[in-house]
Amino acid sequence: MNTSGNSTRNTGQGNRRTRARRGTVIAFILIAAAGVAPSPRDAASAPPQAAEPMERPSQPAAIRRLLRAEYLTEDELKDLRIFHGLWEPADLDTPARMARAALTSGALDDPSLKSLDADPLDRAEAMLLRGELAESLAALEGRADPRSVRIRAEALAAMGRYDDAVEAMAPLVAAAVAGSLRTPADLVDGVRVLALRSRLRAGDGPAGGDYRAMMSILARVRDSLDRLYWPAMLVEAELLLDKDNPSEAQQALIRTLELNPSCARAWAMLGDMAVWSFDLAAAERIAARLDITTQAAGTAAGDEQDADSARGASPLASMLRARASLRINDPESAAELLDEALARYPAMRGAVALRAAVAARAYDDEALAKWTAAYDALSPGSALAVYEIGRTLAEARQYALAADYLGTAHERLPSWPAPLIELGLLEIQAGRDARAERALTEATRLDPFNVRAGNSLKLVTELRSYDTIESEHFIIRYKPGIDGVMAREMVGPLEENYRIVTGAGPGGIDYAPTTSVTEDGLPRTVIDLMPDHRWFGVRIAGMPAIHTIAASTGPVIAMETPREGANHLGTYDWARVVRHEFTHTVSLARTNNRIPHWFTEAAAVYLELAPRENQTCRLLADALRSDALFDFTAINLAFIRPEKPTDRSLAYAQAHWMYQFMIERFGREAPLELMDQYAKGVREEAAFQAVLGVSRDAFFDAFTQWAQGQVQAWGLAPKAGQPTIRDLLRREAAAKTEPADEDAADPLDRKPAAKADQPVDDDSLPDITREMVGRWLDEYPDLADALEIAIDMDLQGTAGVPTAVLVPLLERYAAARPVDPLPHRLLAKYYLAGNGDGPDAAIPHLEYLDAREQKSPAYAAELARRYAATGNWDAAFAKAERATQIAPYDPQERELAASVAIKKSDFAAAERHLTALTQLEPDRPIHKQRLEALKALRDQHDDQ
């Protein structure tokens, strides 16, 4: 959830600094009126432009020196240039050299790789990568060198013949363990079979496949034997990624590409990392680089080649683009990409497995059965395809089905930690902690070095120690101790949220979740109250860093405690935040977790039931004015991988805006009917046509027309007949043009009088004066921009202090621009200082501000005091309670709530807050004394 917004600790803070503000206000108004930028939607409708390929890294000086070494023969230099991916066309003068270049660059169908004059091992490795596994094994018949052993073992493993693969690799494993391998190539092949053995038969070696020993061997190659031997760094990256250590893996891949910029495998791994981090623009640029690298196999390495040439796209690029399409829930595009690749490489196991996963993501049972059968026909008993399907479904939150596939993958290959890790993480997301613990315990036994698995197992162990509170629809888990103060107060607001979100009221989802995460079978949602930001991050992502404060995984909502201090993100209105997250829980349940990302966020923001903040309205107005609103693809990406600092905020705001339009234009049932379409697996475009009767493009066009009226109603665009500030300045400039000089002796020296409507250069616009603004407001009394400038100028004369003279102007501005909190802050400050009608007159302005406040209890607390001063104890207590809800660990707010509750004769509430104070500040005996006094007062009251 996005919880951005201004917060202040007291009502006097938060006013704009007027000395700096005048230039900002005027600049904003002028920029806003400056014109319209080219439309991104128009650009999107034009033929797509090919992505610029990722730049190849420059080579280190050591490589450049080596390739200029005079002691090397020409043949040696040719072989070195090919090894380091820097060949020239003249270097490819034999089938063997051509095959080596083709293998490095991923041109697996290059004719040289089928030539009998090529190195037999290069031919066998190409067969392996194309999926021609039986042919690869035949080509290796009778060979026992380390590379042959490694290729044979990998081929057998890919066929699902795991026992045969273990037997085949045994001699090389023994040599690697004994330390009898000597050359860099043999050592790297030794590490590769050790890593493979750890996946196939973990009991045959140390836990985790002796990760430290493997890294030590690679370090020896890199640091002692040959600092330029890039395959060692490539394998190091593979090991690091296997341990969920992407930052160090990326460094190893960059080093690999510095030493061989034509290494297709390194580019593909970087691309996969970009996809998983949702950097899809980078992934596409890497895919473009892979295409070029593949095309360059028969030319100079890295030459820009036509991607549509006879060789076709790189299969690795096609798989990378397919994964990227899956990340944005576009299985149709992914299927097309993979079908093209499989037409050329029908036995490539990774592509077939991914094609089955794409069918699963499209909820196409017939295609899923077809591609699963195709994979099993190629590799009976192999775990790869069911693993790909399982983790793809897990990302789509199809928890039950994903768990089945991941469980099957584990059954087929019990020593492979990856399916268990994904299963454990899935079960945590699904709220089934006992199952998660079993899976993660076994995963960490197999691989004690995986970071996510280790963190997640610690989390499950931590959660077992938590206390619980159960209500009709929720289970609250919290760390024993001070967090119990807040947890005990959560039940009431949570059940009220349940009523709002599951009901049929405005924005309600009209659906009750039925999935149970408890042994008694009751459909309750788990609320995990995490003690700090680090534990919250681990709870959601398996890693300690995450950008938000609460998140829903469907059956589970995790939130960090709203408090100040180290490793906390501060106070916040947790009931509003959790209502947002519970809306995700319910909308996901109603749609079988198949709702588009923007749509579930839109419903969740709508049900926050709070007015838009000024900065949100301005952000939307700016995006509409400059045609920078997101399309239906970009908006989903903006939530996860924003390109600009404002992208995520804009995505939330625009999604909510479109949802509001949908309800106003098509009725409150329209979003719910769309949800039911999504639950059936209907894609978004077809769902729009079925429910709304329009395409997404037509919906967007109608939405933007409606949005124009919204922006005008907010006072952020001129209403009909109103000019912009720039228009008024142009008029001022024209009126001030020097009049004709009738007294000039020579008629040629006389300057003609200017017409008021003649064009004026914007560079010559005059400075705005208060006199000018007064004239404008006489003519246009409710022109919001002019009112804002006038207020800013007047405040400069009073050092930012509102005066009686300013009050009418503030009231006019509040009416003209109802989304801006500025007049309400200034009017509240004015009345609270005892001016005008006195402090009670501040109440409506404080209410305006409090309705929009998400992070600070200041407005609620001040309202409690104002209502108390008027004797309205019910209203005072409601606001005091809200203050403690935003800042439940703040003793100051607890004391206020307790005192108001006593005045209201609500002794139970007063006792609750005083009891909380004894836990929040156990070293202050006065709290216990007050508690005892309260009990005496209550007894006295009861006796009466």
Side-chain angles (χ1 to χ4, degrees), residues 436-712:
E437 186 171 13
R438 288 194 295 271
L440 292 169
T441 298
E442 178 63 8
T444 53
R445 184 189 70 79
L446 294 171
D447 183 0
F449 302 101
N450 188 279
V451 178
R452 276 197 311 161
N455 283 340
S456 298
L457 183 57
K458 289 177 185 176
L459 168 73
V460 174
T461 304
E462 168 83 359
L463 289 174
R464 261 202 286 113
S465 70
Y466 280 22
D467 288 340
T468 61
I469 296 172
E470 297 189 14
S471 69
E472 183 179 0
H473 299 109
F474 297 93
I475 297 174
I476 305 163
R477 298 194 294 193
Y478 63 95
K479 190 177 183 66
I482 195 172
D483 290 346
V485 171
M486 176 178 174
R488 285 185 286 273
E489 296 179 334
M490 293 177 68
V491 171
L494 285 175
E495 290 295 338
E496 176 63 10
N497 280 346
Y498 184 92
R499 182 192 66 78
I500 293 170
V501 175
T502 64
I509 308 302
D510 198 13
Y511 184 86
T514 57
T515 302
S516 174
V517 297
T518 60
E519 293 182 359
D520 60 14
L522 294 176
R524 294 192 182 107
T525 300
V526 174
I527 309 291
D528 280 338
L529 180 62
M530 307 310 295
D532 56 38
H533 190 67
R534 179 185 178 278
W535 273 116
F536 167 70
V538 173
R539 179 66 185 83
I540 292 302
M543 303 297 277
I546 194 169
H547 74 270
T548 188
I549 54 178
S552 168
T553 62
V556 177
I557 295 171
M559 56 182 288
E560 68 170 272
T561 53
R563 60 200 299 186
E564 305 290 347
N567 203 20
H568 294 282
L569 294 188
T571 59
Y572 62 93
D573 183 353
W574 72 263
R576 173 178 170 180
V577 169
V578 172
R579 186 162 63 250
H580 177 113
E581 300 305 332
F582 185 59
T583 303
H584 288 317
T585 294
V586 179
S587 64
L588 287 167
R590 179 161 181 158
T591 61
N592 194 22
N593 291 354
R594 296 174 179 178
I595 189 170
H597 194 152
W598 80 267
F599 202 81
T600 186
E601 294 295 355
V605 178
Y606 192 92
L607 273 172
E608 288 181 35
L609 304 179
R612 284 185 182 86
E613 296 178 0
N614 179 51
Q615 63 189 38
T616 300
C617 294
R618 289 181 182 266
L619 184 65
L620 289 169
D622 286 346
L624 181 67
R625 184 182 299 112
S626 59
D627 241 346
L629 292 171
F630 297 116
D631 62 25
F632 283 93
T633 298
I635 193 171
N636 290 321
L637 287 176
F639 288 109
I640 304 161
R641 185 77 187 200
E643 295 182 3
K644 301 190 299 295
T646 57
D647 277 0
R648 184 177 283 119
S649 296
L650 178 58
Y652 279 103
Q654 182 186 328
H656 176 208
W657 215 15
M658 291 195 294
Y659 199 85
Q660 177 188 348
F661 165 71
M662 184 182 295
I663 289 175
E664 291 188 15
R665 178 64 57 87
F666 299 96
R668 70 165 301 277
E669 292 293 326
L672 305 183
E673 292 173 8
L674 279 173
M675 290 182 192
D676 293 339
Q677 292 288 310
Y678 300 142
K680 299 173 186 176
V682 178
R683 308 292 295 161
E684 187 170 59
E685 176 64 32
F688 267 53
Q689 296 276 9
V691 173
L692 307 181
V694 297
S695 67
R696 290 189 304 180
D697 284 346
F699 172 90
F700 194 91
D701 289 340
F703 158 69
T704 54
Q705 290 299 314
W706 169 87
Q708 297 283 356
Q710 286 265 299
V711 172
Q712 288 182 340

Side-chain angles (χ1 to χ4, degrees), residues 31 37-38 77 154 238-239 309 538 553 627 691 746 861:
I31 291 170
L77 285 172
E154 289 179 350
E238 291 173 340
L239 292 177
S309 63
V538 173
T553 62
D627 241 346
V691 173
D746 188 338

Side-chain angles (χ1 to χ4, degrees), residues 884-907:
T884 63
Q885 188 170 279
I886 295 175
Y889 298 87
D890 188 337
Q892 177 181 326
E893 309 306 342
R894 293 285 177 178
E895 289 184 354
L896 175 62
S899 65
V900 173
I902 291 171
K903 291 288 188 179
K904 184 175 177 287
S905 298
D906 189 344
F907 299 119

Side-chain angles (χ1 to χ4, degrees), residues 63-80:
I63 290 286
R64 296 196 298 271
R65 286 196 300 269
L66 177 64
L67 297 181
R68 292 196 305 267
E70 295 181 356
Y71 59 84
L72 295 173
T73 67
E74 186 57 33
D75 281 343
E76 288 172 331
L77 285 172
K78 288 179 181 179
D79 291 337
L80 276 174

Side-chain angles (χ1 to χ4, degrees), residues 128 149-158 161-162 164-170 172-173 188-202 204 208-209 214 235 238-239 242 413 415-417:
L128 170 70
V149 172
R150 189 261 302 165
I151 296 173
R152 183 180 295 115
E154 289 179 350
L156 291 166
R161 294 168 55 184
Y162 298 133
D164 292 341
V166 171
E167 182 180 354
M169 72 175 71
L172 185 52
V173 167
V188 169
D189 280 324
V191 169
R192 291 178 69 174
V193 296
L194 285 173
L196 179 59
R197 185 192 61 171
S198 73
R199 292 193 291 274
L200 303 184
R201 292 291 180 271
D204 293 346
M214 289 189 283
V235 174
E238 291 173 340
L239 292 177
D242 192 53
L413 189 51
S415 298
W416 189 19

